Structures are given as structure tokens and as C-alpha cells.
């Protein structure tokens, strides 16, 4: 069984050789072989299996497939991966930077890419919003024990700040930022960024957190590559324990849990009558209770799921803005099972149902799409504008 994005493709063992061979006759040209390059993800209309090799797709079927000719006799629970697949999966970078790919990107390039690919979820400048993590902000100053001060913020009374868990204050390793962006972002189209683009976005986020490399501030012209990324030392580099990295990692974890009384605590559990532990009506329970609901914290709790007010861009119509905010995550790519805006053939088939039917589906939902695309606040008039924009943007 292969896991193809969010779908499963099951190939019977007895038919595997026949199915694959039909795709692999002498028509496997050099161009088709190139589509199977290790780690070659940034190809339009092609999909990666399990984060591994990328294969060309035509009419929803793999047209070229690098495979091994293993026996299909009997019942098997899997097969050995090909050398090409192993190489494609084995692309993680270790905390010390081992495994980082070649490439480079500037802070300025990352700024543009972040606005286009990331700000919709993480807010302007990585400041948070829309229910997704804040990536930048917080003071990296440390106390006398070497602990980042803003990580110790406690909401004990009104007016006190919340802990600042951002890349600059909380994350221990900068290489994690690169690998996570490359492997899992953007949310709707993971692995669609080139290594140069990932370096650029990483550079931008480090710059937004005030990170310095070899004492050098990361201005707009600063260019990040593997060697420079390895030199990044984040403020909370030693803030996590036990140390799980390296050959001693498993032994460190075992030693940590072995001394539970010191590292975790061994208090006596109260399983009943906890409000009156002495069961005499007099003994007061040693339980901390919340005295009030805190609302005046900085930054304030985010109840609204929207972005900060935007400066009006007169080059973008209202319909396009509504589409970007509510529909682009699924309709901006062909990897989500929805007709991609700009794909004339896909939208020709949709429009053939009639505009009223298309609008009806947008309002009430169809297939995997929820009613109103999941935004119940959208008015029918808004949806009509969005549908018209999507259709007009997909004409030949």
C-alpha cells in the first residue's frame, strides 16, 4: 500500500508486475526518468509518494515509475524500497547541520516569499494570527542562570505578559526551521518550495527574530546558505533536557526517567475526597485554584480568526481578495482534489453543469468541500463574486 498524500492506493500483489510493467515499456524516455530524480519536488502536476520520489502524472495515473523487480508471489506486507526511494526519503538535516543541501537565499527574497506563501496563516512579519503559531517576537535576554527571561513569563495576575515561545526565544536549533519548512510547508502544497526558496524564508524568519550570525546582523542583503545556517546559535539552545541528540541520546533519556523523584516529581496522588484530604471537614486541600479569568495579557488572547487589517491593494479586486482568503488554499493547487483555478479543462467540466449548479455547490458544499468553503460568514453575494472570479480566471 502506498500513501499518496491523503489518499491510499492499494495494488494487489498478484497484479503488481503487470500494472507497473504496462507503464514501463520502452517508452520510458530520458525526460520521464528525469521526473524521478531524487528529491525533485518542484514540478507542476506531479506528486510525491510518502515524501519520496516524484513521478509524472497523466490523466490521474503514473506515467513513469522507477521500480524494482521483486517477486510478487505469495502474500507480502510490503516490499523493499528502491535505492532511489531511500535516497529521496533520507534528506533530513541533523541539528549540527549535517545533511543540509546546497543553495542560498537572501532575507529580501524571503520577505517576498513569506508574504506570498506564509503570511496568510502566520500573520505579517510572523507575528501570529489566524489561529496559527507566532514565529517572531520576544526578548532573547537571559537571566543569571542563562534562561531566556521572556520564556518565564507567568500569567499570575492582570497585566502580566504571556510566555514568548517563538523561533528566537524558544527553538533550540535553527536547522529544524529549514527542514520543517522544506518538508511540511506551505500547508496546502508541501514540498513545493525549492531549496533556495527555503533558505530565503529561513533567513527572513531568523532576521525577524533578531538573530545574528557570527555577530553579523541579518539585513535585507544577507544571504543564507548551509555553512552560515550551521553557525546559528539560538538563545534557547540549551533549554531542553535531557539531550536526545547523538549516540548518547537514548542513554540520557533513560537516566532522566530513572531519577523520577528529581526530574519529574513523586508526589502522593489524591484519587478520592481530594477537597477534604483529611476527611474531617477541616483539612484544607493544597490545590491551586484559578481566581479569575485573565483577559488583559500581552499579547491578548486571539479569539478572532482573522489577519490584522490590511492596507488596501487597489490592484486586487474584492472578488480576488475573497477568493484568496477563503478558497485559494484548496483551489490554488491541483493536489487537494478541487478544480485548480487557471486549469481551463477542469473548469470547463465544472461550468458545463451550469452556473446556478456551481453556485449551489459553493453555498451548500459538495464532495470534500464544506458549505461556503468552511466560512459560514460568507454571504451568497460574496460566493457569487468568488465563483465568477474563479470561472473567469480559468478561461482559455
Amino acid at each position: 500500500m502506498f500513501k499518496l498524500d491523503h489518499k491510499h492506493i492499494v495494488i494487489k500483489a498478484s497484479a503488481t508486475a503487470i500494472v507497473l510493467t504496462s507503464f514501463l515499456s520502452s517508452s520510458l524516455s530520458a525526460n520521464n526518468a528525469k521526473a524521478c530524480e531524487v528529491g525533485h519536488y518542484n514540478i507542476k502536476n506531479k506528486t510525491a509518494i510518502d515524501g519520496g520520489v516524484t513521478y509524472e502524472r497523466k490523466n490521474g495515473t503514473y506515467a513513469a515509475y522507477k521500480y524494482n523487480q521483486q517477486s510478487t508471489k505469495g502474500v507480502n506486507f510490503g516490499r523493499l524500497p528502491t535505492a532511489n526511494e531511500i535516497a529521496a526519503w533520507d534528506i533530513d538535516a541533523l541539528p549540527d547541520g549535517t545533511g543540509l543541501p546546497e543553495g542560498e537565499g537572501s532575507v529580501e527574497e524571503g520577505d517576498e516569499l513569506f508574504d506570498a506563501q506564509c503570511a496568510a496563516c502566520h500573520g505579517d512579519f510572523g507575528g501570529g494570527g489566524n489561529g496559527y503559531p507566532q514565529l517572531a517576537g520576544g526578548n532573547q535576554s537571559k537571566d543569571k542562570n542563562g534562561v531566556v527571561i521572556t520564556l518565564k513569563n507567568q500569567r499570575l495576575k492582570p497585566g502580566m505578559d504571556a510566555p514568548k515561545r517563538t523561533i528566537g526565544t524558544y527553538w533550540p536549533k535553527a536547522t529544524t526551521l529549514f527542514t520543517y519548512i522544506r518538508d511540511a510547508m506551505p500547508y496546502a502544497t508541501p514540498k513545493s518550495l525549492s531549496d533556495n526558496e527555503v533558505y530565503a524564508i529561513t533567513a527572513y524568519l531568523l532576521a525577524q527574530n533578531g538573530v545574528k550570525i557570527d555577530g553579523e546582523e541579518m539585513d535585507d542583503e544577507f544571504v543564507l546558505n548551509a555553512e552560515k545556517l550551521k553557525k546559528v546559535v539560538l538563545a534557547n539552545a540549551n533549554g531542553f533536557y535531557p539531550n536526545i541528540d547523538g549516540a548518547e541520546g537514548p542513554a540520557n533519556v533513560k537516566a532522566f526517567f530513572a531519577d523520577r523523584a528529581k526530574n519529574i516529581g513523586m508526589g502522593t496522588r489524591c484519587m478520592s475526597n481530594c477537597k477534604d484530604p483529611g476527611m474531617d471537614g477541616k483539612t484544607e486541600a493544597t490545590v491551586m485554584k484559578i481566581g479569575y479569568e485573565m483577559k488583559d495579557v500581552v499579547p491578548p488572547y486571539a479569539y478572532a480568526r482573522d489577519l490584522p487589517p490590511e492596507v488596501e491593494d487597489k490592484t486586487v479586486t474584492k472578488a480576488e481578495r475573497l477568493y484568496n482568503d477563503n478558497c485559494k488554499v484548496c483551489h490554488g493547487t491541483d493536489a487537494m482534489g478541487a478544480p485548480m483555478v487557471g486549469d481551463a479543462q477542469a473548469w470547463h467540466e465544472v461550468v458545463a453543469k451550469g452556473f446556478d449548479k456551481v453556485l449551489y455547490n459553493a453555498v451548500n458544499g459538495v464532495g470534500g468541500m464544506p458549505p461556503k468553503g468552511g466560512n459560514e460568514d460568507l454571504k451568497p453575494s460574496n460566493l457569487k463574486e468568488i465563483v465568477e472570479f474563479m470561472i473567469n480566471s480559468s478561461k482559455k
Side-chain angles (χ1 to χ4, degrees):
M1 179 181 290
F2 296 114
K3 184 179 180 185
L4 174 58
D5 293 337
H6 304 295
K7 302 177 181 178
H8 287 87
I9 296 179
V10 180
I11 303 178
K12 291 183 179 180
S14 61
T16 302
I18 299 174
V19 174
L20 295 182
T21 303
S22 67
F23 296 148
L24 271 175
S25 60
S26 59
S27 63
L28 182 57
S29 64
N31 289 334
N32 283 338
K34 186 176 181 181
C36 301
E37 282 184 16
V38 172
H40 196 104
Y41 298 112
N42 195 20
I43 312 176
K44 187 177 180 181
N45 298 329
K46 297 178 177 65
T47 308
I49 293 183
D50 261 351
V53 183
T54 298
Y55 303 99
E56 184 178 3
R57 289 171 60 84
K58 291 182 180 179
N59 300 321
T61 305
Y62 291 111
Y65 194 97
K66 289 277 189 176
Y67 75 114
N68 53 12
Q69 296 176 313
Q70 297 177 31
S71 172
T72 59
K73 295 180 180 179
V75 178
N76 298 291
F77 294 98
R79 64 169 176 79
L80 294 175
T82 65
N84 198 33
E85 288 169 334
I86 292 176
W89 288 320
D90 188 20
I91 60 172
D92 60 321
L94 299 181
D96 63 1
T98 302
L100 284 171
E102 295 181 359
E104 62 181 24
S106 70
V107 172
E108 185 174 17
E109 293 167 340
D111 187 355
E112 296 178 2
L113 286 165
F114 186 89
D115 284 345
Q117 302 282 358
C118 316
C121 293
H122 293 287
D124 293 337
F125 313 110
N130 211 30
Y132 291 88
Q134 178 180 352
L135 301 177
N139 191 318
Q140 299 176 35
S141 299
K142 300 181 180 181
D143 63 14
K144 62 181 181 180
N145 296 316
V147 178
V148 178
I149 296 173
T150 53
L151 282 180
K152 301 193 300 178
N153 291 347
Q154 296 292 319
R155 294 168 173 163
L156 299 178
K157 60 182 180 181
M160 296 188 71
D161 286 354
K164 305 285 188 180
R165 297 189 180 98
T166 65
I167 294 168
T169 63
Y170 185 64
W171 289 39
K173 302 294 182 181
T175 50
T176 305
L177 180 60
F178 179 93
T179 54
Y180 189 80
I181 294 172
R182 179 188 60 185
D183 295 344
M185 294 287 121
Y187 175 75
T189 55
K191 302 181 180 69
S192 62
L193 298 171
S194 68
D195 289 337
N196 286 344
E197 290 173 326
V198 177
Y199 274 117
I201 295 175
T202 301
Y204 173 74
L205 288 172
L206 292 175
Q208 288 301 308
N209 280 275
V211 173
K212 296 181 180 180
I213 300 181
D214 277 346
E216 180 183 356
E217 293 186 358
M218 301 177 66
D219 57 17
D220 286 349
E221 288 72 36
F222 187 94
V223 176
L224 184 69
N225 55 29
E227 292 306 313
K228 292 179 181 178
L229 186 55
K230 292 177 183 179
K231 297 178 180 180
V232 174
V233 179
L234 296 178
N236 199 38
N238 299 317
F240 287 80
Y241 58 90
N243 182 7
I244 64 173
D245 295 328
E248 302 299 323
N252 292 338
V253 173
K254 291 180 180 179
F256 179 83
F257 284 104
D259 195 349
R260 296 179 63 87
K262 175 184 176 182
N263 296 319
I264 301 176
M266 296 290 286
T268 302
R269 295 182 179 180
C270 177
M271 305 304 292
S272 62
N273 299 316
C274 299
K275 292 184 178 180
D276 183 16
M279 293 183 288
D280 55 7
K282 299 179 181 180
T283 308
E284 185 175 346
T286 55
V287 178
M288 293 291 291
K289 299 182 182 295
I290 298 175
Y292 61 90
E293 181 182 1
M294 290 189 173
K295 295 184 178 180
D296 55 347
V297 296
V298 179
Y301 292 123
Y303 295 101
R305 293 294 184 261
D306 53 9
L307 292 172
E310 296 183 0
V311 178
E312 183 178 0
D313 184 353
K314 295 183 179 179
T315 64
V316 178
T317 65
K318 175 187 175 184
E320 184 176 358
R321 186 166 62 252
L322 287 168
Y323 161 75
N324 289 338
D325 292 343
N326 298 284
C327 310
K328 188 175 182 179
V329 168
C330 292
H331 287 280
T333 172
D334 64 351
M336 301 294 282
M340 182 177 70
V341 170
D343 187 334
Q345 179 60 37
W347 278 92
H348 175 75
E349 297 173 5
V350 172
V351 175
K353 302 173 184 177
F355 182 85
D356 290 342
K357 180 62 176 178
V358 177
L359 182 59
Y360 176 87
N361 290 339
V363 174
N364 297 282
V366 61
M369 184 182 75
K372 298 182 179 181
N375 184 356
E376 290 297 326
D377 294 331
L378 283 176
K379 300 176 182 178
S381 59
N382 296 145
L383 288 166
K384 183 174 182 293
E385 291 181 82
I386 294 173
V387 172
E388 289 175 341
F389 168 79
M390 295 168 76
I391 291 174
N392 291 332
S393 300
S394 305
K395 294 180 178 178
K396 290 184 179 179

